[in-house]
Amino acid sequence: LAVAAIPEGLPAIVTLVLAMGVQKMIKRNAIVRRLPAVETLGCATVICSDKTGTLTENKMSLTSMYYNRKVIKFKPEIDDSQFDKIMNITALCNEARLKEKEKKGPLTRIRNIFTGDTTPDLIGDPTDIAFLEALYKSGKTVSELKESNTVIKKEPFDSSRKRMTILVEKKNGGKELWIKGAPEVIMSLCNYIEIEGQVRRLTSELKDEITRANDSMANQGLRVLAVAYKQVRRRFRGGLKEQENDLVLLGLTGLIDPPREEAYEAVRRCKNAGIRPIMITGDHKVTAGVIARKLGIIDRHDKIVTGKEVEAMSDNKLRDIVEGVNVFARINPEDKLRIVRALKDNGEVVAMTGDGVNDAPALKEAHIGVAMGLNGTDVTREVSSLILSDDNFATIIAAIEEGRKIYNNIRKFIRYLLSCNVGELLAIFMGITMGLPIPLIPIQILWVNLVTDGLPALALGMDEDSDDVMERDPRDPDESIFSHGMVYRIISQGLLIGVNTILVYLIALYQLHLDMNTARTMAFSTLVFSQLFFVFSCRSEENPFWSESIFSSIYLIGAVFISTVMQLAVIYFPFFSRIFQTEVLNLEQWFIVIVLSIWSTVFLELIHTKLFNR
């Protein structure tokens, strides 16, 4: 009786279902590092995602340039000294590199002529790769460029500085500072501009003109970077940062990174699931807005907040505005942490993506930290709960979908196991209180636990949830697993299973006047088959079992079939029947068992349909 009362298989089944769910997520490119994250995924109300690589293809290409006071389309065959300067600076002020040593032999050159493939394999930031690819398309190589321009010092790109700087020594011995970065940052460091080979003072009129060109390129969804330089003394004290002033602006470059095709559908599903997608990017406000509108994250008139505005806000002010803003542009990693905290203070369950070292605090603070598997750092992977092996926003939605399914399946088999255990307990208890001979002997009670609590419960954990799982709002993380009428369902079904068992036992003893072993066999079979029929009712909390095909779950059909065979074996095989003290039942007796086993499930489904408006 104690074994019947305690769902001893529950911890094992929960663990197996979680493990199998994690395997499903891996197949969908989501690697779960911490099992509790599987449950938390189903509660997510907000996804804070970067733009580049997650919502976009992360395949940058140089398409436009602004210099000599006009915007032109990038063409490798352009023959212009200022064009060459821009190409040289963007290629050397660059941290992308070749995957293997560059080959410059005659056979390679001949092969490239015939194949048209002059671009080597590159690794690094997609923006830097795009500049190197543009250089190779124009017929130059990095190695050739370095022969006449030696990089002496380097100040790598930093998300807070939003620029990269190098010190170059030219062949004639002169030294120049080369720099590329965010247009508004570079322009603030420039006092001059080069136009048609002439260096002129950067006036407010020229600044307005450059700003308009920047906005025009950004309105096309381009990532815009400014390029500048400065001649420096052969010897100077201090680091490169101290020399970042009085620069000469060369021009602007525009790179396209189109949205992923699957991102459109992913954003739509995200919203339908009651989850708010928030884009947090380091890109220009206009560029971020264009991509966000294309994907449906924001509408035309929705507000976009910049990093400078976030920095100027108090925590209380940020907490007030964060509920109405879905795009943050020019954001520093430190700002991401504040945004996550503000969302959490407002009661949101936050998933946060990141790839850089500086993103680690925000990922750790979020309920679900999501690291990039392709371009992410080891630090972000270490603090994350989930890793995207394809860096794709759609994979986050797939992981949330699987997380919801896993949680729903856990509810299914908890309902099933506890209802069955209550039924077994009540059957024995009612038999004792009514003064009847014990309706089930100990080995039969143990057998019921083996036949009904094992395979069918596990099959429920592997069941495919209904197609509308991503059409429902996220569940409350504080919600009990027994919410939404679960306790009522467990008790009512358990009560009817127990009543069925005793009713069949009474009919066998006092109506049909059968011997004790045959009466127990009927009660024993009724208890087993009541539970096996009931398992189909547990597949859905929203719809009655007859509204779904019973053949849609091959695992459940297989589990019920095996359990049925096992139950028939202890009745019809003499070796087992002696051990279990069972007798062969005739058609009339089986009819009573089957009818009473089915009616309770059908009756309660009708009641639940009425009560819960299913």
Side-chain angles (χ1 to χ4, degrees):
L1 190 58
V3 171
I6 300 170
E8 67 282 348
L10 188 58
I13 294 173
V14 169
T15 305
L16 281 170
V17 168
L18 285 173
M20 289 185 292
V22 166
Q23 291 298 315
K24 283 185 179 180
M25 288 186 183
I26 290 172
K27 291 178 181 177
R28 300 184 74 171
N29 299 314
I31 302 167
V32 178
R33 294 189 67 252
R34 296 180 176 87
L35 272 183
V38 174
E39 180 187 354
T40 312
L41 279 167
C43 306
T45 59
V46 169
I47 300 175
C48 298
S49 173
D50 191 12
K51 177 182 78 68
T52 304
T54 310
L55 290 164
T56 60
E57 293 182 358
N58 207 22
K59 295 177 182 177
M60 292 280 188
S61 57
L62 182 62
T63 60
S64 303
M65 303 177 78
Y66 168 85
Y67 66 94
N68 291 339
R69 304 186 70 176
K70 57 187 176 183
V71 177
I72 63 168
K73 287 186 177 180
F74 167 73
K75 295 178 182 178
E77 61 271 14
I78 293 176
D79 185 13
D80 185 301
S81 61
Q82 198 157 330
F83 171 83
D84 289 341
K85 281 185 183 179
I86 293 174
M87 295 300 295
N88 293 348
I89 291 175
T90 55
L92 284 190
C93 194
N94 194 305
E95 293 185 285
R97 64 187 187 278
L98 295 170
K99 283 187 179 179
E100 56 185 7
K101 189 175 180 181
E102 186 179 352
K103 298 176 182 179
K104 299 192 297 181
L107 291 177
T108 303
R109 292 183 183 277
I110 293 171
R111 178 179 58 81
N112 290 341
I113 290 171
F114 284 101
T115 62
D117 181 16
T118 58
T119 305
D121 289 333
L122 302 164
I123 55 175
D125 181 80
T127 303
D128 285 343
I129 290 174
F131 284 125
L132 287 190
E133 287 177 343
L135 180 79
Y136 279 91
K137 287 176 183 177
S138 64
K140 299 179 182 178
T141 65
V142 174
S143 55
E144 291 170 353
L145 194 57
K146 286 182 176 178
E147 289 176 3
S148 54
N149 302 280
T150 305
V151 179
I152 303 171
K153 287 186 178 181
K154 180 189 294 184
E155 190 68 44
F157 176 83
D158 183 84
S159 55
S160 57
R161 284 171 22 90
K162 295 183 173 63
R163 59 188 181 272
M164 179 179 180
T165 308
I166 59 172
L167 179 64
V168 174
E169 184 173 1
K170 304 179 79 64
K171 242 182 180 180
N172 60 10
K175 293 181 180 178
E176 286 186 352
L177 201 71
W178 290 359
I179 183 168
K180 81 173 194 301
E184 65 271 21
V185 174
I186 301 301
M187 284 177 61
S188 69
L189 303 173
C190 291
N191 288 330
Y192 305 95
I193 183 172
E194 184 172 319
I195 301 174
E196 302 291 351
Q198 301 295 317
V199 177
R200 294 159 57 174
R201 173 70 63 175
L202 185 59
T203 63
S204 58
E205 290 80 8
L206 285 171
K207 283 186 177 180
D208 290 341
E209 182 181 310
I210 295 164
T211 301
R212 287 195 296 273
N214 178 31
D215 291 345
S216 174
M217 295 166 77
N219 275 320
Q220 300 171 45
L222 302 181
R223 169 175 283 186
V224 184
L225 294 177
V227 180
Y229 74 98
K230 172 186 175 181
Q231 293 182 351
V232 296
R233 299 190 306 272
R234 294 196 175 187
R235 294 182 181 179
F236 65 86
R237 295 180 179 179
L240 297 185
K241 293 179 182 179
E242 286 73 20
Q243 294 295 317
E244 293 173 341
N245 53 60
D246 283 338
L247 301 179
V248 179
L249 183 69
L250 271 174
L252 306 175
T253 59
L255 302 101
I256 187 70
D257 182 18
R260 292 178 182 264
E261 285 296 323
E262 59 271 28
Y264 295 92
E265 176 64 14
V267 170
R268 186 195 67 79
R269 295 188 72 208
C270 186
K271 288 186 169 183
N272 286 348
I275 304 168
R276 183 159 61 103
I278 298 178
M279 178 191 290
I280 302 180
T281 178
D283 278 355
H284 189 274
K285 178 179 180 179
V286 178
T287 304
V290 170
I291 299 298
R293 290 186 189 96
K294 279 185 179 180
L295 292 172
I297 294 175
I298 59 172
D299 296 324
R300 180 181 295 274
H301 302 295
D302 285 353
K303 186 178 181 180
I304 299 174
V305 174
T306 64
K308 284 187 178 180
E309 293 172 317
V310 171
E311 288 176 12
M313 292 179 189
S314 65
D315 290 342
N316 288 335
K317 177 65 176 176
L318 181 59
R319 195 180 304 119
D320 291 338
I321 68 101
V322 78
E323 286 300 313
V325 177
N326 290 341
V327 176
F328 293 87
R330 285 287 191 246
I331 292 293
N332 295 322
E334 298 79 12
D335 300 327
K336 289 184 178 181
L337 180 60
R338 291 187 63 207
I339 291 168
V340 170
R341 285 175 175 167
L343 288 166
K344 287 178 67 178
D345 288 344
N346 287 340
E348 304 282 6
V349 178
V350 185
M352 179 78 189
T353 70
D355 53 9
V357 173
N358 293 334
D359 291 333
L363 264 64
K364 191 172 183 179
E365 181 69 23
H367 295 98
I368 309 159
V370 183
M372 302 296 109
L374 294 176
N375 297 307
T377 59
D378 291 338
V379 175
T380 52
R381 294 191 193 105
E382 186 63 31
V383 301
S384 66
S385 305
L386 188 72
I387 299 174
L388 308 182
S389 61
D390 58 356
D391 293 5
N392 194 337
F393 180 82
T395 302
I396 305 175
I397 307 304
I400 289 174
E401 181 180 8
E402 289 298 336
R404 288 188 175 189
K405 287 180 178 180
I406 290 168
Y407 182 80
N408 289 345
N409 284 349
I410 289 174
R411 276 181 60 95
K412 289 176 187 178
F413 65 68
I414 285 178
R415 175 188 168 196
Y416 173 71
L417 283 177
L418 294 186
S419 297
C420 293
N421 285 18
V422 168
E424 294 165 23
L425 200 62
L426 287 176
I428 304 297
F429 179 74
M430 284 188 288
I432 294 171
T433 54
M434 293 172 68
L436 299 173
I438 186 167
L440 298 169
I441 61 174
I443 195 170
Q444 291 174 343
I445 298 173
L446 295 174
W447 181 253
V448 170
N449 276 267
L450 176 64
V451 171
T452 62
D453 285 9
L455 289 177
L458 186 57
L460 276 177
M462 299 170 66
D463 195 26
E464 286 295 327
D465 209 342
S466 56
D467 295 333
D468 65 347
V469 68
M470 290 299 285
E471 304 293 326
R472 310 169 200 159
D473 289 337
R475 63 181 177 81
D476 187 340
D478 296 326
E479 174 186 286
S480 167
I481 200 165
F482 296 104
S483 61
H484 305 295
M486 174 84 93
V487 173
Y488 163 76
R489 295 169 189 265
I490 290 171
I491 294 174
S492 59
Q493 186 68 50
L495 179 63
L496 281 184
I497 289 174
V499 168
N500 274 349
T501 304
I502 291 300
L503 184 58
V504 169
Y505 189 53
L506 290 171
I507 292 172
L509 284 178
Y510 301 110
Q511 186 68 31
L512 302 178
H513 305 289
L514 300 175
D515 62 273
M516 184 60 64
N517 280 353
T518 304
R520 281 179 177 157
T521 303
M522 289 181 67
F524 178 33
S525 297
T526 302
L527 184 59
V528 169
F529 285 108
S530 292
Q531 297 179 24
L532 293 182
F533 284 123
F534 169 58
V535 74
F536 293 101
S537 177
C538 293
R539 294 188 63 202
S540 174
E541 293 184 40
E542 292 77 28
N543 304 307
F545 71 85
W546 54 78
S547 66
E548 300 181 17
S549 171
I550 63 171
F551 299 105
S552 59
S553 175
I554 189 67
Y555 298 111
L556 195 57
I557 292 294
V560 170
F561 176 77
I562 293 171
S563 296
T564 300
V565 170
M566 291 172 67
Q567 178 62 19
L568 294 177
V570 301
I571 297 174
Y572 287 97
F573 282 84
F575 173 77
F576 293 114
S577 64
R578 285 194 297 271
I579 296 173
F580 288 90
Q581 298 181 31
T582 57
E583 296 291 337
V584 174
L585 303 180
N586 60 33
L587 288 178
E588 179 189 13
Q589 293 159 359
W590 272 120
F591 179 78
I592 295 170
V593 168
I594 297 302
V595 168
L596 287 177
S597 297
I598 291 175
W599 89 270
S600 60
T601 298
V602 175
F603 174 74
L604 279 183
E605 283 287 76
L606 293 171
I607 296 297
H608 293 163
T609 301
K610 190 73 174 177
L611 286 178
F612 300 104
N613 298 316
R614 297 196 295 170

